């Protein structure tokens, strides 16, 4: 299957293959083994050195990535439009804001400047801005407090791609 992030307006962003691992109450889980290649837009391929899994919720404005041990970031959550599935591909629009948890447990929101810039440049509608900001606020609490699925729920899925 293929994971395809786009930017608002439709331009290609990050994209890569992944393996479907399963579904649970939180959504659909996919995984990538160490050595998986992806690309940003039409840029050169990037090889990821460590395995990771991704969670695509059924009706939330985010996509979560959980890194294997050894990566400096434990959890990386992209604020996006609700993921859509069709023909072996999951796609969503990346809305710039990211909620990140380091291995040491520090949680922060990344790319707030890019979000502010793109609101003007890409003409985000007010409802998209509101949804993205609400998603980021909720994610900061959930990731900080290690609420499910940010509580280790990903570990059985990660073990499938190690």
């Amino acid at each position: 299957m293929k994971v395809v992030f786009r930017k608002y307006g439709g331009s290609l962003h990050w994209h890569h293959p992944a393996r479907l691992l399963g579904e649970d109450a939180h959504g659909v889980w996919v995984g990538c083994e160490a050595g998986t290649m992806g690309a940003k837009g039409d840029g050169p391929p990037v090889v990821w050195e460590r395995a990771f899994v991704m969670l695509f919720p059924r009706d939330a404005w985010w996509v979560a990535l959980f890194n294997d041990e050894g990566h400096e970031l434990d959890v990386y959550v992209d604020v996006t439009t609700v993921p859509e599935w069709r023909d072996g591909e999951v796609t969503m629009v990346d809305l710039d804001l990211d909620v990140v948890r380091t291995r040491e447990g520090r949680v922060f929101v990344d790319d707030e400047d890019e979000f502010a810039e793109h609101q003007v440049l890409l003409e985000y509608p007010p409802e998209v801005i509101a949804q993205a900001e609400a998603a980021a606020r909720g994610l900061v609490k959930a990731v900080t407090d290690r609420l499910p699925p940010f509580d280790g729920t990903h570990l059985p899925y990660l073990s499938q791609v190690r």
Side-chain angles (χ1 to χ4, degrees), residues 23-107:
E23 290 188 52
D24 64 15
H26 305 291
V28 179
W29 293 85
V30 305
C32 295
E33 297 173 353
T36 296
M37 288 179 33
K40 186 175 185 178
D42 59 0
V46 175
V47 178
W48 288 299
E49 295 179 13
R50 290 181 175 77
F52 61 91
V53 294
M54 300 178 79
L55 171 60
F56 299 93
R58 291 176 190 83
D59 59 2
W61 283 63
W62 54 265
V63 172
L65 185 146
F66 301 85
N67 286 304
D68 200 0
E69 294 173 14
H71 195 287
E72 64 182 294
L73 303 179
D74 181 29
V75 177
Y76 192 98
V77 188
D78 285 287
V79 174
T80 68
T81 57
V82 175
E84 296 179 13
W85 295 84
R86 88 177 66 78
D87 302 326
E89 180 176 293
V90 60
T91 188
M92 55 260 117
V93 175
D94 182 302
L95 296 171
D96 313 311
L97 296 173
D98 306 302
V99 176
V100 181
R101 183 172 70 210
T102 66
R103 288 282 168 206
E104 295 77 34
R106 186 170 74 92
V107 176

Side-chain angles (χ1 to χ4, degrees), residues 107-151:
V107 176
F108 61 95
V109 178
D110 199 18
D111 293 334
E112 291 176 295
D113 55 340
E114 186 179 339
F115 179 65
E117 180 183 316
H118 285 171
Q119 288 178 45
V120 175
L121 184 67
L122 299 177
E123 300 178 356
Y124 291 176
E127 61 274 11
V128 169
I129 295 168
Q131 287 281 6
E133 290 173 340
R137 281 192 305 275
L139 286 163
V140 167
K141 177 167 180 35
V143 172
T144 299
D145 294 348
R146 296 181 185 260
L147 302 175
F150 306 106
D151 62 345

